[in-house]
């Protein structure tokens, strides 16, 4: 499997030129679509994205990995679920929301949308995080 640096859209060839979409754009679309689903507490990032967010910049692509292959687009989403939600139901909604957002915004259909639940967030953790940001 070879990886591509940009995705060229066949639908975008209208005689005016070509349309290319960077994987980072797909990451942002998928990250926002996943965060919109009720039951998703947050996305997994690394230390650098945590520092950037504390400085006030939001990283919408965090917790999302996009792989462009010869067969299509493969999206891996790493998220935290809220305690008490049905993980299979929420994960299915995340998959549907990401597929629909990609189709609406880019006219591309993802070959795979894999959801990786990497943790459960409790309300007490959220309250502690809010207190930390207020200090």
């Amino acid at each position: 499997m070879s990886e591509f640096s940009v995705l060229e859209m066949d639908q975008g060839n209208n005689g005016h030129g070509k349309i290319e979409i960077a994987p980072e754009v797909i990451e942002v679309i998928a990250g926002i679509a996943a965060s919109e689903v009720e039951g998703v507490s947050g996305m997994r990032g690394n230390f650098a994205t945590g520092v950037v967010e504390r400085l006030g910049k939001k990283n919408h692509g965090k917790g999302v990995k996009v792989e462009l292959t010869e067969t299509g687009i493969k999206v891996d989403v790493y998220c935290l679920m809220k305690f008490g939600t049905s993980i299979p139901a929420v994960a299915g909604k995340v998959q549907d929301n990401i597929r629909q957002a990609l189709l609406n915004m880019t006219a591309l259909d993802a070959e795979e949308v894999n959801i990786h639940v990497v943790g459960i967030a409790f309300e007490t953790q959220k309250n502690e995080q809010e207190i930390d940001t207020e200090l």
Side-chain angles (χ1 to χ4, degrees):
M1 285 191 199
S2 64
E3 262 190 63
F4 303 98
S5 60
V6 292
L7 182 65
E8 191 170 321
M9 294 179 55
D10 293 330
Q11 301 90 343
N13 192 354
N14 57 10
H16 298 292
K18 63 183 175 181
I19 298 173
E20 295 179 339
I21 299 175
E24 292 82 11
V25 173
I26 296 170
E27 286 175 3
V28 170
I29 292 169
I32 292 171
S35 298
E36 290 175 345
V37 175
E38 181 63 34
V40 174
S41 174
M43 307 296 285
R44 182 181 86 181
N46 56 26
F47 178 74
T49 57
V51 170
V52 169
E53 283 188 350
R54 286 186 184 262
L55 294 174
K57 287 185 113 182
K58 188 84 172 151
N59 183 1
H60 294 291
K62 88 171 181 182
V64 180
K65 179 184 170 206
V66 173
E67 187 178 341
L68 306 176
T69 65
E70 293 173 358
T71 57
I73 303 168
K74 192 172 147 185
V75 180
D76 288 293
V77 178
Y78 300 87
C79 59
L80 296 147
M81 298 286 180
K82 291 180 182 175
F83 179 76
T85 60
S86 169
I87 292 174
V90 172
K93 288 178 186 174
V94 171
Q95 287 174 318
D96 292 340
N97 208 31
I98 289 172
R99 283 186 186 278
Q100 194 61 44
L102 285 175
L103 200 57
N104 289 343
M105 296 181 76
T106 66
L108 299 170
D109 193 18
E111 177 188 14
E112 290 181 24
V113 178
N114 303 310
I115 308 300
H116 305 275
V117 179
V118 296
I120 301 293
F122 299 93
E123 285 299 318
T124 56
Q125 288 178 339
K126 187 175 181 183
N127 291 338
E128 288 173 6
Q129 289 175 353
E130 290 174 358
I131 291 169
D132 286 343
T133 57
E134 290 174 2
L135 296 177

